């Protein structure tokens, strides 16, 4: 399988390079490909077939590109000397989140909470939610809209 991995990677290298270029940028694209090939090489004995190898290679290149992008973003951020500003922002965000969480728990009905959770946290479509809660899609939209409106109004009143 060693020779096969090399052949497949060489054949799809241009496509992988384009992916790395679009995500990680021109400076990192070659490094991404090299790291991706090293990771793919470690999996060489577990790769079942050519199509699967191509898919895995594309996924590895995408993930490594994102890693390079994240590391570049982290190193580009200025270091906060005292750290107090970040801590204050984080504490403020935590307090806001807790306030909204209390509103959801205390003010919304069970149906509103369930619809809100399914849509915003689990990413269900309106049709999937409607089937799960035994409502029409229009009722799901209306319930979600009313729940969000109640959260907004209650949050504004307490702040």
């Amino acid at each position: 399988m060693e020779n096969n991995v090399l052949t497949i990677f060489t054949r799809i290298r241009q496509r992988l390079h384009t992916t790395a270029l679009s995500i990680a940028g021109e400076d990192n694209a070659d490094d991404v490909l090299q790291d991706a090939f090293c990771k793919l090489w470690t999996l060489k004995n577990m790769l079942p077939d050519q199509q699967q190898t191509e898919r895995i290679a594309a996924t590895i290149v995408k993930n490594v590109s994102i890693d390079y992008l994240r590391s570049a973003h982290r190193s580009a951020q200025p270091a906060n000397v005292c750290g107090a500003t970040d801590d204050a922002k984080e504490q403020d965000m935590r307090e806001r989140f807790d306030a909204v969480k209390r509103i959801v728990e205390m003010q919304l009905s069970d149906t509103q909470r369930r619809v809100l959770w399914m849509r915003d946290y689990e990413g269900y479509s309106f049709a999937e939610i409607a089937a799960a809660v035994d409502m029409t899609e229009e009722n799901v939209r209306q319930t979600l809209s009313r729940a969000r409106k109640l959260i907004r109004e209650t949050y504004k009143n307490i702040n």
Side-chain angles (χ1 to χ4, degrees), residues 38-53:
C38 289
K39 288 183 182 201
L40 190 64
W41 189 259
T42 62
L43 301 172
K44 68 182 178 270
N45 295 327
M46 296 180 282
L47 299 171
D49 62 3
Q50 181 176 343
Q51 281 186 322
Q52 195 70 6
T53 303

Side-chain angles (χ1 to χ4, degrees), residues 11-137:
R11 187 172 42 78
I12 62 172
R13 186 182 188 289
Q14 187 59 44
R15 184 175 42 157
L16 297 174
H17 189 269
T18 303
T19 301
L21 196 62
S22 67
I23 297 173
E26 192 173 339
D27 295 338
N28 296 323
D30 290 330
D31 294 335
V32 165
L33 283 184
Q34 184 174 358
D35 289 353
F37 182 75
C38 289
K39 288 183 182 201
L40 190 64
W41 189 259
T42 62
L43 301 172
K44 68 182 178 270
N45 295 327
M46 296 180 282
L47 299 171
D49 62 3
Q50 181 176 343
Q51 281 186 322
Q52 195 70 6
T53 303
E54 288 179 16
R55 288 188 202 120
I56 291 171
T59 302
I60 290 173
V61 166
K62 180 187 71 162
N63 291 340
V64 171
S65 297
I66 291 170
D67 290 344
Y68 268 82
L69 193 62
R70 285 182 182 151
S71 71
H73 179 70
R74 276 190 219 112
S75 64
Q77 291 179 341
N80 191 353
V81 177
C82 64
T85 306
D86 288 340
D87 291 341
K89 285 181 184 178
E90 186 175 319
Q91 180 65 25
D92 184 49
M93 283 294 263
R94 198 173 302 123
E95 289 172 3
R96 289 179 186 207
F97 179 77
D98 289 341
V100 171
K101 187 176 177 182
R102 282 190 303 275
I103 293 168
V104 168
E105 290 172 354
M106 300 172 92
Q107 299 289 326
L108 298 183
S109 69
D110 289 338
T111 304
Q112 287 175 322
R113 261 195 307 276
R114 188 169 178 204
V115 168
L116 183 73
W117 181 265
M118 291 176 79
R119 180 68 181 171
D120 292 343
Y121 294 100
E122 295 182 8
Y124 284 98
S125 69
F126 288 112
E128 292 169 323
I129 297 169
V133 296
D134 197 32
M135 300 171 91
T136 65
E137 285 186 49

